[in-house]
Amino acid sequence: MPPTLGALLRTPSLRLRLLTGEDRLDRKVAWVAVSELTDPTPYLAGGELVLTTGVRWADSAPDHRDYVRRLAERQVAGLGFGVGVVLEETPPALRGAAAEFGVPLVEVARETPFIAVGKEVSRLLAKEEYEGLTRAFAAQRELTRAALAGAPEIIDRLARDLDAWVLLLGDDGAVAHAAPAAAGRHAAEIAAELPRLRQAGVRASASVETGGERVSVQPLATGRRARGYLAVGTAGPLGSDERTLVNAAVSLLSLELERGPSGQAGEGVVVALLSGALDPLHEGAAPLRGTLPREPVVVGVGTAVGAAHPPEGVLVAEHDGRALLLAGAATPGAVIREVLDGPVGLSEPSGYADLETALAEAERARAAAPEGEGGVVRVGDLPGGLLGLAETPVGARMAADLLRPLSGQRTGAELLASLRAYLASAGRWDAAAEALGVHRHTLRYRMTRIRDLLPGDLDDPDYRAELWIALRVRGVD
């Protein structure tokens, strides 16, 4: 959750002073936007703390009321005015407009760089994300321990962690376990939704309203057939941490339903292992380890499972629109090609403690495999280095997100090329302009616009490095 405006004001080192908006200190600050534009709203998404020094107000004062009105309509978190740079005090007209439109107005002391405010927001965001992940990981560990006692204990634990009611339903909609027991009264209403869910397939989920509560229903499946359903009822929408916990429960319950009477590991093992829902090194998982391939193992990613009955020592599953494989490192490539259809990516040999890395390697190798061919691409055959790790589907999405403020503009290609030339020449204007074939004043104008559009600081070496890698991943010339 983003920090509040009040939390920023309580940071002594920032020396911020609230001028208006005492009743709006609970507003969430999603980001800090520094802008000297007379109308910055086209470049705002809402929730920002907008910082300005009024540098364009020195010669001719703007219509402060119109300026603040636009910010209010954009639903910014607040407005910060830096004094001592152009104007020695916050204009009274600006204070009046802020009070009229309900925009919190903060005075920023001359000694406080705007970048310090941005860094504090970033720090608070990172702190909240880390604490959320820590809570989620702890809850997942407890859920995994509960799985050792069976599906009912998973349901009971999930209900306690979410402060919700939870139902485990069979594939026919019958209640297998309810937490609390009174939650069973919702089963009939949920069962009415199951025919539609079955028709949509095992990767679909459903949301229904019952008794004023939101109910999420997800199939429990490790192959093409749902073996049961998990229903979670809450008073409001689930947060990201809660959704992660529900997904972990789905994997664990799918594994539990998949487990046959012989105790042999099935498709659910692969999904649970590679999703992080199951720790094979936990002391309680010793019986399971006897059914798994011996270390070192390899992880494979393909288009679909090609063999209904894979050979001994090879585990396969279909999950999230792809086929997953877990096998001993000595498994021949010919066997892997028989088990997985389509182009296949294969990881380096690894231990069970490093399956997350192995899955990322297999996905990277799969992304590099030519479409329409049935070969096996091993990650060891791909280019190495940090840039090689970034050249994955995930890396491409991150690069696109990072550069979207520029690529989304009408002159996006021009701006991206200018940024690349500027970074490639280490900020030397003459060299960058010559590489582009433009006058250096033209390049300066473009870079000023780029600085206005980008949310980060181009003088920050970490941010420059991220931009450079993103440009390389996108293949900007």
Side-chain angles (χ1 to χ4, degrees), residues 15-184:
R15 294 181 290 273
L16 302 178
R17 186 165 71 96
L18 183 67
L19 301 181
T20 67
E22 293 83 358
D23 58 339
R24 293 175 171 82
L25 297 183
D26 59 345
R27 286 192 175 183
K28 302 296 188 294
V29 181
W31 201 246
V32 172
V34 179
S35 178
E36 301 295 348
L37 297 174
T38 54
D39 180 14
T41 55
Y43 309 102
L44 302 177
E48 297 92 349
L49 174 61
V50 180
L51 301 180
T52 183
T53 63
V55 67
R56 298 191 177 185
W57 305 355
D59 298 328
S60 60
D63 185 336
H64 294 95
R65 189 175 183 278
D66 188 53
Y67 175 78
V68 176
R69 177 187 57 79
R70 288 194 296 264
L71 294 180
E73 291 174 351
R74 199 57 165 169
Q75 297 182 330
V76 300
L79 172 63
F81 188 82
V83 297
V85 179
V86 178
L87 302 176
E88 293 302 320
E89 63 177 15
T90 303
L94 187 63
R95 297 182 61 162
E100 177 185 355
F101 290 104
V103 176
L105 179 60
V106 177
E107 190 170 85
V108 185
R110 176 67 179 85
E111 298 79 16
T112 301
F114 283 178
I115 189 64
V117 182
K119 286 184 175 180
E120 179 62 15
V121 170
S122 296
R123 186 188 70 81
L124 292 173
L125 285 170
K127 179 174 179 288
E128 176 64 28
E129 182 178 0
Y130 174 78
E131 291 175 350
L133 288 173
T134 301
R135 290 192 298 268
F137 286 146
Q140 286 186 59
R141 283 197 300 270
E142 294 303 318
L143 202 63
T144 302
R145 292 191 181 99
L148 301 176
E153 187 61 30
I154 298 175
I155 299 299
D156 293 340
R157 182 78 205 187
L158 185 63
R160 289 196 299 272
D161 288 341
L162 297 181
D163 190 22
W165 59 260
V166 183
L167 287 178
L168 174 61
L169 306 176
D171 58 357
D172 59 352
V175 177
H177 189 72

Side-chain angles (χ1 to χ4, degrees), residues 330-348:
T331 303
V335 172
I336 295 174
R337 282 194 296 272
E338 291 177 2
V339 172
L340 296 183
D341 286 341
V344 176
L346 206 63
S347 72
E348 292 283 8

